[in-house]
Amino acid sequence: MRIALIADTHGYLDPRIADAIRGADILVHAGDVGAGIEAEIAPLAARIVIVQGNNDPADSGWPNSEVLALPGGDLAVMHGHQWPAKTRHRKLREQFPDARAIVCGHSHRRVQQSDENPWLLNPGAAGRTRAYGGPGWMDLFAEAGQWRVHGESLEPQPRRRRKPG
């Protein structure tokens, strides 16, 4: 099973990422979605899971966290803004101790910690806003006996300059 992981689009999904994640079994957005993104990602995967980030409207209808039962274990999803950077990973692991992996966003920085349980995965920003090292995503391949993660960052797209006048 292929689960595509994105976060921190802030109203813009890099079209190269949209092409790359198209066809996933599940697409997980770990918050700070932005206007129009839910409709844009809906056709990209068989199932869409979105959690609310600190920049999403309170009435979005998205939960603060979600736990998905996958082959081989549970995947927890939470934006992560609830705690300061210094304690965030520890607090997420305390919040979801029985998960096989936790997906978060908020920092806009890619993290792949699979050396302790639960794993901690942050795909980085999938849009333009603070896409450190370029916009990115992760694919999680979940099978009963094995989970594998593949992350990718793209070259930043140049900003278009407005013509005067």
Side-chain angles (χ1 to χ4, degrees), residues 142-158:
E143 300 169 11
Q146 177 182 352
W147 281 22
R148 294 177 293 113
V149 177
H150 172 77
E152 192 139 348
S153 291
L154 303 172
E155 287 294 316
Q157 288 187 327

Side-chain angles (χ1 to χ4, degrees), residues 14-92:
D14 189 296
R16 300 169 295 172
I17 293 176
D19 288 342
I21 63 178
R22 187 180 318 280
D25 296 298
I26 302 172
L27 171 55
V28 171
H29 195 308
D32 281 358
V33 179
I37 296 298
E38 183 175 22
E40 185 177 344
I41 66 174
L44 298 179
R47 178 179 174 200
I48 305 296
V49 174
I50 300 173
V51 297
Q52 188 172 43
N54 59 304
N55 288 300
D56 293 318
D59 63 353
S60 67
W62 303 317
N64 286 324
S65 66
E66 188 81 33
V67 177
L68 309 174
L70 301 176
D74 290 343
L75 178 67
V77 185
M78 185 175 227
H79 187 59
H81 65 281
Q82 294 83 352
W83 303 285
K86 195 177 252 188
T87 61
R88 182 173 301 128
H89 295 175
R90 178 175 54 83
K91 294 289 192 178
L92 283 163

